[in-house]
Amino acid sequence: MLNQLRIEFLQWTGQVKHLVANKADNLQPQEYCIGAVFVIAIGFVLLSGRR
């Protein structure tokens, strides 16, 4: 069961990596900045919950 879950997670991360790699090839600078803001905001929210 745990092994199957691990395999499915690795497959999912591989698919996400493939999608991001395909989309990241032709992003404009504004789109990079928007993505960075989202990543920073989500990271801040996730880390602030640990206080």
Side-chain angles (χ1 to χ4, degrees):
M1 163 110 180
L2 189 60
N3 194 26
Q4 181 66 25
L5 183 64
R6 184 178 144 285
I7 291 170
E8 289 178 11
F9 178 74
L10 290 175
Q11 288 175 345
W12 179 77
T13 54
Q15 291 172 354
V16 169
K17 182 179 176 183
H18 180 71
L19 286 173
V20 170
N22 285 342
K23 293 290 183 181
D25 286 343
N26 55 4
L27 289 178
Q28 300 295 322
Q30 300 91 334
E31 294 169 327
Y32 279 116
C33 290
I34 292 170
V37 168
F38 277 117
V39 168
I40 291 169
I42 290 170
F44 179 75
V45 169
L46 290 175
L47 291 175
S48 68
R50 296 185 141 199
R51 291 186 209 183

mmCIF file of all heavy atoms in Angstrom:
data_model
loop_
_atom_site.group_PDB
_atom_site.id
_atom_site.type_symbol
_atom_site.label_atom_id
_atom_site.label_comp_id
_atom_site.label_asym_id
_atom_site.label_seq_id
_atom_site.Cartn_x
_atom_site.Cartn_y
_atom_site.Cartn_z
ATOM 1 N N MET A 1 0.832 -1.199 0.000
ATOM 2 C CA MET A 1 0.000 0.000 0.000
ATOM 3 C C MET A 1 0.872 1.256 0.000
ATOM 4 O O MET A 1 0.659 2.153 -0.788
ATOM 5 C CB MET A 1 -0.908 -0.042 1.229
ATOM 6 C CG MET A 1 -1.514 1.269 1.588
ATOM 7 S SD MET A 1 -3.242 1.265 1.259
ATOM 8 C CE MET A 1 -3.636 2.892 1.777
ATOM 9 N N LEU A 2 1.834 1.300 0.919
ATOM 10 C CA LEU A 2 2.709 2.464 1.004
ATOM 11 C C LEU A 2 3.573 2.587 -0.252
ATOM 12 O O LEU A 2 3.791 3.695 -0.753
ATOM 13 C CB LEU A 2 3.585 2.367 2.254
ATOM 14 C CG LEU A 2 4.404 3.606 2.583
ATOM 15 C CD1 LEU A 2 3.498 4.803 2.813
ATOM 16 C CD2 LEU A 2 5.250 3.345 3.811
ATOM 17 N N ASN A 3 4.007 1.467 -0.776
ATOM 18 C CA ASN A 3 4.804 1.469 -1.998
ATOM 19 C C ASN A 3 3.976 1.973 -3.179
ATOM 20 O O ASN A 3 4.476 2.744 -4.007
ATOM 21 C CB ASN A 3 5.360 0.076 -2.272
ATOM 22 C CG ASN A 3 6.447 0.093 -3.315
ATOM 23 O OD1 ASN A 3 7.113 1.101 -3.486
ATOM 24 N ND2 ASN A 3 6.617 -1.011 -4.005
ATOM 25 N N GLN A 4 2.736 1.559 -3.260
ATOM 26 C CA GLN A 4 1.849 2.005 -4.343
ATOM 27 C C GLN A 4 1.610 3.516 -4.249
ATOM 28 O O GLN A 4 1.610 4.213 -5.257
ATOM 29 C CB GLN A 4 0.510 1.253 -4.284
ATOM 30 C CG GLN A 4 -0.455 1.626 -5.376
ATOM 31 C CD GLN A 4 0.038 1.225 -6.756
ATOM 32 O OE1 GLN A 4 0.830 0.302 -6.899
ATOM 33 N NE2 GLN A 4 -0.400 1.943 -7.762
ATOM 34 N N LEU A 5 1.429 4.020 -3.043
ATOM 35 C CA LEU A 5 1.231 5.450 -2.829
ATOM 36 C C LEU A 5 2.474 6.228 -3.268
ATOM 37 O O LEU A 5 2.372 7.275 -3.904
ATOM 38 C CB LEU A 5 0.920 5.713 -1.351
ATOM 39 C CG LEU A 5 0.611 7.139 -0.968
ATOM 40 C CD1 LEU A 5 -0.666 7.608 -1.666
ATOM 41 C CD2 LEU A 5 0.445 7.246 0.533
ATOM 42 N N ARG A 6 3.640 5.706 -2.945
ATOM 43 C CA ARG A 6 4.898 6.329 -3.342
ATOM 44 C C ARG A 6 5.038 6.371 -4.862
ATOM 45 O O ARG A 6 5.436 7.383 -5.445
ATOM 46 C CB ARG A 6 6.066 5.566 -2.717
ATOM 47 C CG ARG A 6 7.421 6.162 -2.969
ATOM 48 C CD ARG A 6 8.493 5.319 -2.254
ATOM 49 N NE ARG A 6 9.718 5.234 -2.984
ATOM 50 C CZ ARG A 6 9.973 4.520 -4.061
ATOM 51 N NH1 ARG A 6 9.044 3.761 -4.566
ATOM 52 N NH2 ARG A 6 11.139 4.535 -4.643
ATOM 53 N N ILE A 7 4.688 5.278 -5.521
ATOM 54 C CA ILE A 7 4.774 5.206 -6.981
ATOM 55 C C ILE A 7 3.816 6.211 -7.622
ATOM 56 O O ILE A 7 4.178 6.925 -8.560
ATOM 57 C CB ILE A 7 4.494 3.772 -7.478
ATOM 58 C CG1 ILE A 7 5.643 2.849 -7.067
ATOM 59 C CG2 ILE A 7 4.291 3.736 -8.988
ATOM 60 C CD1 ILE A 7 5.357 1.378 -7.286
ATOM 61 N N GLU A 8 2.591 6.282 -7.107
ATOM 62 C CA GLU A 8 1.614 7.226 -7.657
ATOM 63 C C GLU A 8 2.066 8.666 -7.446
ATOM 64 O O GLU A 8 1.895 9.514 -8.324
ATOM 65 C CB GLU A 8 0.243 6.998 -7.023
ATOM 66 C CG GLU A 8 -0.410 5.715 -7.476
ATOM 67 C CD GLU A 8 -1.752 5.470 -6.805
ATOM 68 O OE1 GLU A 8 -2.274 6.378 -6.147
ATOM 69 O OE2 GLU A 8 -2.265 4.346 -6.950
ATOM 70 N N PHE A 9 2.650 8.953 -6.286
ATOM 71 C CA PHE A 9 3.143 10.307 -6.024
ATOM 72 C C PHE A 9 4.274 10.661 -6.987
ATOM 73 O O PHE A 9 4.315 11.774 -7.526
ATOM 74 C CB PHE A 9 3.619 10.430 -4.577
ATOM 75 C CG PHE A 9 4.174 11.784 -4.244
ATOM 76 C CD1 PHE A 9 3.327 12.860 -4.085
ATOM 77 C CD2 PHE A 9 5.537 11.979 -4.115
ATOM 78 C CE1 PHE A 9 3.825 14.120 -3.796
ATOM 79 C CE2 PHE A 9 6.051 13.224 -3.829
ATOM 80 C CZ PHE A 9 5.195 14.293 -3.663
ATOM 81 N N LEU A 10 5.188 9.725 -7.226
ATOM 82 C CA LEU A 10 6.284 9.982 -8.160
ATOM 83 C C LEU A 10 5.772 10.188 -9.578
ATOM 84 O O LEU A 10 6.285 11.036 -10.319
ATOM 85 C CB LEU A 10 7.294 8.839 -8.116
ATOM 86 C CG LEU A 10 8.129 8.738 -6.837
ATOM 87 C CD1 LEU A 10 8.997 7.485 -6.871
ATOM 88 C CD2 LEU A 10 8.972 9.978 -6.635
ATOM 89 N N GLN A 11 4.746 9.443 -9.982
ATOM 90 C CA GLN A 11 4.155 9.634 -11.299
ATOM 91 C C GLN A 11 3.506 11.009 -11.404
ATOM 92 O O GLN A 11 3.645 11.702 -12.416
ATOM 93 C CB GLN A 11 3.126 8.546 -11.583
ATOM 94 C CG GLN A 11 3.725 7.197 -11.844
ATOM 95 C CD GLN A 11 2.671 6.112 -11.999
ATOM 96 O OE1 GLN A 11 1.506 6.302 -11.646
ATOM 97 N NE2 GLN A 11 3.081 4.961 -12.505
ATOM 98 N N TRP A 12 2.799 11.415 -10.349
ATOM 99 C CA TRP A 12 2.134 12.714 -10.344
ATOM 100 C C TRP A 12 3.155 13.844 -10.412
ATOM 101 O O TRP A 12 2.992 14.786 -11.175
ATOM 102 C CB TRP A 12 1.262 12.845 -9.090
ATOM 103 C CG TRP A 12 0.577 14.159 -8.999
ATOM 104 C CD1 TRP A 12 -0.526 14.553 -9.687
ATOM 105 C CD2 TRP A 12 0.957 15.268 -8.181
ATOM 106 N NE1 TRP A 12 -0.855 15.831 -9.349
ATOM 107 C CE2 TRP A 12 0.038 16.296 -8.425
ATOM 108 C CE3 TRP A 12 1.984 15.474 -7.270
ATOM 109 C CZ2 TRP A 12 0.117 17.520 -7.787
ATOM 110 C CZ3 TRP A 12 2.055 16.700 -6.632
ATOM 111 C CH2 TRP A 12 1.136 17.693 -6.888
ATOM 112 N N THR A 13 4.234 13.750 -9.619
ATOM 113 C CA THR A 13 5.248 14.799 -9.656
ATOM 114 C C THR A 13 5.950 14.845 -11.013
ATOM 115 O O THR A 13 6.306 15.924 -11.487
ATOM 116 C CB THR A 13 6.288 14.622 -8.534
ATOM 117 O OG1 THR A 13 6.836 13.311 -8.603
ATOM 118 C CG2 THR A 13 5.678 14.851 -7.167
ATOM 119 N N GLY A 14 6.117 13.699 -11.637
ATOM 120 C CA GLY A 14 6.692 13.673 -12.977
ATOM 121 C C GLY A 14 5.807 14.373 -13.994
ATOM 122 O O GLY A 14 6.289 15.105 -14.861
ATOM 123 N N GLN A 15 4.490 14.162 -13.885
ATOM 124 C CA GLN A 15 3.554 14.829 -14.780
ATOM 125 C C GLN A 15 3.544 16.333 -14.549
ATOM 126 O O GLN A 15 3.532 17.115 -15.508
ATOM 127 C CB GLN A 15 2.149 14.260 -14.592
ATOM 128 C CG GLN A 15 2.003 12.841 -15.079
ATOM 129 C CD GLN A 15 0.666 12.229 -14.708
ATOM 130 O OE1 GLN A 15 -0.121 12.828 -13.979
ATOM 131 N NE2 GLN A 15 0.403 11.025 -15.194
ATOM 132 N N VAL A 16 3.576 16.740 -13.295
ATOM 133 C CA VAL A 16 3.602 18.175 -12.980
ATOM 134 C C VAL A 16 4.890 18.800 -13.498
ATOM 135 O O VAL A 16 4.870 19.881 -14.085
ATOM 136 C CB VAL A 16 3.444 18.398 -11.455
ATOM 137 C CG1 VAL A 16 3.731 19.836 -11.084
ATOM 138 C CG2 VAL A 16 2.052 17.990 -11.002
ATOM 139 N N LYS A 17 6.009 18.115 -13.309
ATOM 140 C CA LYS A 17 7.291 18.623 -13.799
ATOM 141 C C LYS A 17 7.269 18.771 -15.320
ATOM 142 O O LYS A 17 7.767 19.753 -15.860
ATOM 143 C CB LYS A 17 8.407 17.673 -13.367
ATOM 144 C CG LYS A 17 9.773 18.120 -13.773
ATOM 145 C CD LYS A 17 10.832 17.146 -13.298
ATOM 146 C CE LYS A 17 12.205 17.546 -13.789
ATOM 147 N NZ LYS A 17 13.219 16.571 -13.399
ATOM 148 N N HIS A 18 6.681 17.806 -16.003
ATOM 149 C CA HIS A 18 6.586 17.868 -17.463
ATOM 150 C C HIS A 18 5.735 19.052 -17.898
ATOM 151 O O HIS A 18 6.102 19.786 -18.824
ATOM 152 C CB HIS A 18 6.007 16.557 -17.989
ATOM 153 C CG HIS A 18 5.873 16.498 -19.466
ATOM 154 N ND1 HIS A 18 6.961 16.401 -20.304
ATOM 155 C CD2 HIS A 18 4.788 16.530 -20.271
ATOM 156 C CE1 HIS A 18 6.541 16.377 -21.559
ATOM 157 N NE2 HIS A 18 5.222 16.456 -21.557
ATOM 158 N N LEU A 19 4.592 19.269 -17.236
ATOM 159 C CA LEU A 19 3.731 20.398 -17.583
ATOM 160 C C LEU A 19 4.422 21.731 -17.335
ATOM 161 O O LEU A 19 4.359 22.638 -18.161
ATOM 162 C CB LEU A 19 2.429 20.344 -16.775
ATOM 163 C CG LEU A 19 1.417 19.291 -17.190
ATOM 164 C CD1 LEU A 19 0.263 19.237 -16.204
ATOM 165 C CD2 LEU A 19 0.903 19.582 -18.590
ATOM 166 N N VAL A 20 5.088 21.850 -16.202
ATOM 167 C CA VAL A 20 5.782 23.094 -15.887
ATOM 168 C C VAL A 20 6.913 23.346 -16.877
ATOM 169 O O VAL A 20 7.122 24.471 -17.326
ATOM 170 C CB VAL A 20 6.300 23.070 -14.435
ATOM 171 C CG1 VAL A 20 7.231 24.229 -14.161
ATOM 172 C CG2 VAL A 20 5.126 23.088 -13.460
ATOM 173 N N ALA A 21 7.637 22.310 -17.244
ATOM 174 C CA ALA A 21 8.737 22.469 -18.192
ATOM 175 C C ALA A 21 8.218 22.928 -19.554
ATOM 176 O O ALA A 21 8.847 23.767 -20.213
ATOM 177 C CB ALA A 21 9.504 21.161 -18.333
ATOM 178 N N ASN A 22 7.075 22.406 -19.975
ATOM 179 C CA ASN A 22 6.512 22.811 -21.267
ATOM 180 C C ASN A 22 6.003 24.245 -21.223
ATOM 181 O O ASN A 22 6.141 24.989 -22.192
ATOM 182 C CB ASN A 22 5.378 21.876 -21.671
ATOM 183 C CG ASN A 22 5.900 20.540 -22.148
ATOM 184 O OD1 ASN A 22 7.069 20.404 -22.486
ATOM 185 N ND2 ASN A 22 5.035 19.547 -22.159
ATOM 186 N N LYS A 23 5.383 24.645 -20.116
ATOM 187 C CA LYS A 23 4.825 25.992 -20.013
ATOM 188 C C LYS A 23 5.903 27.026 -19.731
ATOM 189 O O LYS A 23 5.766 28.181 -20.107
ATOM 190 C CB LYS A 23 3.774 26.050 -18.898
ATOM 191 C CG LYS A 23 2.535 25.244 -19.183
ATOM 192 C CD LYS A 23 1.726 25.880 -20.276
ATOM 193 C CE LYS A 23 0.456 25.111 -20.511
ATOM 194 N NZ LYS A 23 -0.351 25.675 -21.566
ATOM 195 N N ALA A 24 6.970 26.661 -19.043
ATOM 196 C CA ALA A 24 7.994 27.624 -18.633
ATOM 197 C C ALA A 24 8.897 28.045 -19.789
ATOM 198 O O ALA A 24 9.659 28.991 -19.652
ATOM 199 C CB ALA A 24 8.825 27.048 -17.491
ATOM 200 N N ASP A 25 8.828 27.365 -20.917
ATOM 201 C CA ASP A 25 9.693 27.703 -22.035
ATOM 202 C C ASP A 25 9.361 29.057 -22.653
ATOM 203 O O ASP A 25 10.237 29.746 -23.151
ATOM 204 C CB ASP A 25 9.621 26.628 -23.123
ATOM 205 C CG ASP A 25 10.354 25.369 -22.722
ATOM 206 O OD1 ASP A 25 11.165 25.422 -21.787
ATOM 207 O OD2 ASP A 25 10.093 24.329 -23.356
ATOM 208 N N ASN A 26 8.086 29.423 -22.636
ATOM 209 C CA ASN A 26 7.689 30.637 -23.348
ATOM 210 C C ASN A 26 6.943 31.622 -22.446
ATOM 211 O O ASN A 26 6.001 32.256 -22.877
ATOM 212 C CB ASN A 26 6.840 30.277 -24.570
ATOM 213 C CG ASN A 26 5.642 29.434 -24.211
ATOM 214 O OD1 ASN A 26 5.404 29.168 -23.042
ATOM 215 N ND2 ASN A 26 4.873 29.031 -25.200
ATOM 216 N N LEU A 27 7.390 31.760 -21.197
ATOM 217 C CA LEU A 27 6.759 32.710 -20.293
ATOM 218 C C LEU A 27 7.355 34.100 -20.479
ATOM 219 O O LEU A 27 8.549 34.244 -20.743
ATOM 220 C CB LEU A 27 6.948 32.282 -18.833
ATOM 221 C CG LEU A 27 6.160 31.068 -18.366
ATOM 222 C CD1 LEU A 27 6.503 30.776 -16.916
ATOM 223 C CD2 LEU A 27 4.679 31.264 -18.525
ATOM 224 N N GLN A 28 6.514 35.097 -20.328
ATOM 225 C CA GLN A 28 6.953 36.488 -20.344
ATOM 226 C C GLN A 28 7.478 36.857 -18.962
ATOM 227 O O GLN A 28 7.142 36.198 -17.976
ATOM 228 C CB GLN A 28 5.769 37.389 -20.710
ATOM 229 C CG GLN A 28 5.165 37.092 -22.071
ATOM 230 C CD GLN A 28 6.137 37.367 -23.199
ATOM 231 O OE1 GLN A 28 6.898 38.329 -23.139
ATOM 232 N NE2 GLN A 28 6.131 36.519 -24.217
ATOM 233 N N PRO A 29 8.290 37.906 -18.862
ATOM 234 C CA PRO A 29 8.806 38.304 -17.541
ATOM 235 C C PRO A 29 7.703 38.601 -16.511
ATOM 236 O O PRO A 29 7.854 38.285 -15.332
ATOM 237 C CB PRO A 29 9.612 39.562 -17.851
ATOM 238 C CG PRO A 29 10.023 39.410 -19.273
ATOM 239 C CD PRO A 29 8.890 38.684 -19.930
ATOM 240 N N GLN A 30 6.586 39.171 -16.965
ATOM 241 C CA GLN A 30 5.488 39.453 -16.046
ATOM 242 C C GLN A 30 4.913 38.157 -15.473
ATOM 243 O O GLN A 30 4.540 38.109 -14.298
ATOM 244 C CB GLN A 30 4.353 40.227 -16.748
ATOM 245 C CG GLN A 30 4.759 41.549 -17.313
ATOM 246 C CD GLN A 30 5.217 41.450 -18.762
ATOM 247 O OE1 GLN A 30 5.688 40.413 -19.214
ATOM 248 N NE2 GLN A 30 5.092 42.544 -19.496
ATOM 249 N N GLU A 31 4.853 37.118 -16.292
ATOM 250 C CA GLU A 31 4.318 35.840 -15.835
ATOM 251 C C GLU A 31 5.249 35.188 -14.818
ATOM 252 O O GLU A 31 4.798 34.544 -13.874
ATOM 253 C CB GLU A 31 4.064 34.922 -17.027
ATOM 254 C CG GLU A 31 2.958 35.441 -17.938
ATOM 255 C CD GLU A 31 2.868 34.692 -19.244
ATOM 256 O OE1 GLU A 31 3.919 34.237 -19.755
ATOM 257 O OE2 GLU A 31 1.753 34.574 -19.767
ATOM 258 N N TYR A 32 6.569 35.351 -15.011
ATOM 259 C CA TYR A 32 7.528 34.852 -14.018
ATOM 260 C C TYR A 32 7.314 35.558 -12.679
ATOM 261 O O TYR A 32 7.334 34.935 -11.627
ATOM 262 C CB TYR A 32 8.970 35.084 -14.473
ATOM 263 C CG TYR A 32 9.489 34.071 -15.455
ATOM 264 C CD1 TYR A 32 9.840 34.439 -16.741
ATOM 265 C CD2 TYR A 32 9.660 32.740 -15.088
ATOM 266 C CE1 TYR A 32 10.333 33.519 -17.643
ATOM 267 C CE2 TYR A 32 10.155 31.803 -15.973
ATOM 268 C CZ TYR A 32 10.492 32.203 -17.259
ATOM 269 O OH TYR A 32 10.978 31.291 -18.139
ATOM 270 N N CYS A 33 7.120 36.876 -12.730
ATOM 271 C CA CYS A 33 6.919 37.655 -11.497
ATOM 272 C C CYS A 33 5.626 37.247 -10.798
ATOM 273 O O CYS A 33 5.605 37.110 -9.573
ATOM 274 C CB CYS A 33 6.901 39.147 -11.809
ATOM 275 S SG CYS A 33 8.510 39.775 -12.297
ATOM 276 N N ILE A 34 4.567 37.047 -11.552
ATOM 277 C CA ILE A 34 3.294 36.626 -10.963
ATOM 278 C C ILE A 34 3.458 35.259 -10.307
ATOM 279 O O ILE A 34 2.988 35.027 -9.191
ATOM 280 C CB ILE A 34 2.180 36.608 -12.035
ATOM 281 C CG1 ILE A 34 1.863 38.031 -12.473
ATOM 282 C CG2 ILE A 34 0.927 35.913 -11.517
ATOM 283 C CD1 ILE A 34 0.960 38.122 -13.687
ATOM 284 N N GLY A 35 4.129 34.345 -10.986
ATOM 285 C CA GLY A 35 4.372 33.022 -10.405
ATOM 286 C C GLY A 35 5.207 33.104 -9.140
ATOM 287 O O GLY A 35 4.926 32.418 -8.155
ATOM 288 N N ALA A 36 6.228 33.959 -9.158
ATOM 289 C CA ALA A 36 7.075 34.106 -7.973
ATOM 290 C C ALA A 36 6.280 34.672 -6.799
ATOM 291 O O ALA A 36 6.445 34.231 -5.657
ATOM 292 C CB ALA A 36 8.262 35.007 -8.289
ATOM 293 N N VAL A 37 5.405 35.626 -7.069
ATOM 294 C CA VAL A 37 4.570 36.204 -6.006
ATOM 295 C C VAL A 37 3.671 35.134 -5.409
ATOM 296 O O VAL A 37 3.528 35.050 -4.175
ATOM 297 C CB VAL A 37 3.746 37.396 -6.540
ATOM 298 C CG1 VAL A 37 2.667 37.805 -5.552
ATOM 299 C CG2 VAL A 37 4.667 38.563 -6.838
ATOM 300 N N PHE A 38 3.072 34.306 -6.242
ATOM 301 C CA PHE A 38 2.215 33.236 -5.729
ATOM 302 C C PHE A 38 3.002 32.241 -4.886
ATOM 303 O O PHE A 38 2.559 31.827 -3.816
ATOM 304 C CB PHE A 38 1.497 32.500 -6.866
ATOM 305 C CG PHE A 38 0.257 33.191 -7.338
ATOM 306 C CD1 PHE A 38 0.169 33.666 -8.636
ATOM 307 C CD2 PHE A 38 -0.822 33.365 -6.494
ATOM 308 C CE1 PHE A 38 -0.970 34.310 -9.086
ATOM 309 C CE2 PHE A 38 -1.967 33.999 -6.921
ATOM 310 C CZ PHE A 38 -2.048 34.477 -8.220
ATOM 311 N N VAL A 39 4.174 31.860 -5.350
ATOM 312 C CA VAL A 39 4.993 30.903 -4.599
ATOM 313 C C VAL A 39 5.411 31.491 -3.257
ATOM 314 O O VAL A 39 5.330 30.828 -2.215
ATOM 315 C CB VAL A 39 6.223 30.483 -5.434
ATOM 316 C CG1 VAL A 39 7.231 29.734 -4.587
ATOM 317 C CG2 VAL A 39 5.786 29.642 -6.622
ATOM 318 N N ILE A 40 5.822 32.752 -3.258
ATOM 319 C CA ILE A 40 6.234 33.398 -2.011
ATOM 320 C C ILE A 40 5.053 33.532 -1.061
ATOM 321 O O ILE A 40 5.177 33.268 0.139
ATOM 322 C CB ILE A 40 6.877 34.763 -2.310
ATOM 323 C CG1 ILE A 40 8.219 34.550 -3.007
ATOM 324 C CG2 ILE A 40 7.049 35.585 -1.037
ATOM 325 C CD1 ILE A 40 8.822 35.807 -3.592
ATOM 326 N N ALA A 41 3.898 33.926 -1.587
ATOM 327 C CA ALA A 41 2.715 34.094 -0.734
ATOM 328 C C ALA A 41 2.272 32.763 -0.135
ATOM 329 O O ALA A 41 1.971 32.675 1.065
ATOM 330 C CB ALA A 41 1.576 34.712 -1.533
ATOM 331 N N ILE A 42 2.238 31.725 -0.934
ATOM 332 C CA ILE A 42 1.829 30.410 -0.421
ATOM 333 C C ILE A 42 2.844 29.910 0.594
ATOM 334 O O ILE A 42 2.470 29.378 1.645
ATOM 335 C CB ILE A 42 1.658 29.421 -1.601
ATOM 336 C CG1 ILE A 42 0.435 29.816 -2.423
ATOM 337 C CG2 ILE A 42 1.519 27.987 -1.091
ATOM 338 C CD1 ILE A 42 0.305 29.067 -3.729
ATOM 339 N N GLY A 43 4.126 30.093 0.318
ATOM 340 C CA GLY A 43 5.155 29.697 1.286
ATOM 341 C C GLY A 43 5.035 30.448 2.583
ATOM 342 O O GLY A 43 5.171 29.878 3.667
ATOM 343 N N PHE A 44 4.752 31.756 2.511
ATOM 344 C CA PHE A 44 4.590 32.552 3.722
ATOM 345 C C PHE A 44 3.408 32.061 4.542
ATOM 346 O O PHE A 44 3.497 31.919 5.763
ATOM 347 C CB PHE A 44 4.397 34.026 3.356
ATOM 348 C CG PHE A 44 4.191 34.909 4.545
ATOM 349 C CD1 PHE A 44 5.261 35.248 5.355
ATOM 350 C CD2 PHE A 44 2.937 35.388 4.857
ATOM 351 C CE1 PHE A 44 5.075 36.059 6.457
ATOM 352 C CE2 PHE A 44 2.740 36.191 5.954
ATOM 353 C CZ PHE A 44 3.814 36.532 6.761
ATOM 354 N N VAL A 45 2.289 31.772 3.882
ATOM 355 C CA VAL A 45 1.102 31.295 4.587
ATOM 356 C C VAL A 45 1.371 29.943 5.240
ATOM 357 O O VAL A 45 1.016 29.711 6.393
ATOM 358 C CB VAL A 45 -0.116 31.215 3.634
ATOM 359 C CG1 VAL A 45 -1.273 30.475 4.260
ATOM 360 C CG2 VAL A 45 -0.538 32.624 3.215
ATOM 361 N N LEU A 46 2.028 29.047 4.507
ATOM 362 C CA LEU A 46 2.316 27.724 5.054
ATOM 363 C C LEU A 46 3.288 27.802 6.226
ATOM 364 O O LEU A 46 3.127 27.089 7.228
ATOM 365 C CB LEU A 46 2.867 26.805 3.970
ATOM 366 C CG LEU A 46 1.871 26.384 2.893
ATOM 367 C CD1 LEU A 46 2.588 25.576 1.812
ATOM 368 C CD2 LEU A 46 0.740 25.583 3.491
ATOM 369 N N LEU A 47 4.305 28.642 6.125
ATOM 370 C CA LEU A 47 5.292 28.745 7.189
ATOM 371 C C LEU A 47 4.784 29.549 8.388
ATOM 372 O O LEU A 47 5.206 29.312 9.510
ATOM 373 C CB LEU A 47 6.586 29.351 6.661
ATOM 374 C CG LEU A 47 7.366 28.457 5.702
ATOM 375 C CD1 LEU A 47 8.579 29.209 5.148
ATOM 376 C CD2 LEU A 47 7.796 27.181 6.370
ATOM 377 N N SER A 48 3.887 30.496 8.163
ATOM 378 C CA SER A 48 3.387 31.292 9.280
ATOM 379 C C SER A 48 2.467 30.477 10.175
ATOM 380 O O SER A 48 2.271 30.833 11.334
ATOM 381 C CB SER A 48 2.659 32.531 8.760
ATOM 382 O OG SER A 48 1.472 32.164 8.102
ATOM 383 N N GLY A 49 1.924 29.397 9.682
ATOM 384 C CA GLY A 49 1.070 28.543 10.495
ATOM 385 C C GLY A 49 1.841 27.746 11.532
ATOM 386 O O GLY A 49 1.258 27.175 12.450
ATOM 387 N N ARG A 50 3.155 27.714 11.436
ATOM 388 C CA ARG A 50 3.971 26.931 12.362
ATOM 389 C C ARG A 50 4.361 27.707 13.611
ATOM 390 O O ARG A 50 5.007 27.195 14.488
ATOM 391 C CB ARG A 50 5.248 26.463 11.671
ATOM 392 C CG ARG A 50 4.943 25.535 10.531
ATOM 393 C CD ARG A 50 6.218 25.009 9.953
ATOM 394 N NE ARG A 50 5.985 23.607 9.614
ATOM 395 C CZ ARG A 50 6.909 22.736 9.424
ATOM 396 N NH1 ARG A 50 8.159 23.068 9.539
ATOM 397 N NH2 ARG A 50 6.609 21.488 9.108
ATOM 398 N N ARG A 51 4.020 28.975 13.699
ATOM 399 C CA ARG A 51 4.400 29.776 14.872
ATOM 400 C C ARG A 51 3.622 29.378 16.087
ATOM 401 O O ARG A 51 2.568 28.958 16.135
ATOM 402 C CB ARG A 51 4.157 31.249 14.614
ATOM 403 C CG ARG A 51 5.109 31.801 13.602
ATOM 404 C CD ARG A 51 4.913 33.268 13.498
ATOM 405 N NE ARG A 51 5.259 33.702 12.156
ATOM 406 C CZ ARG A 51 5.238 34.934 11.767
ATOM 407 N NH1 ARG A 51 4.895 35.883 12.578
ATOM 408 N NH2 ARG A 51 5.580 35.246 10.562
#
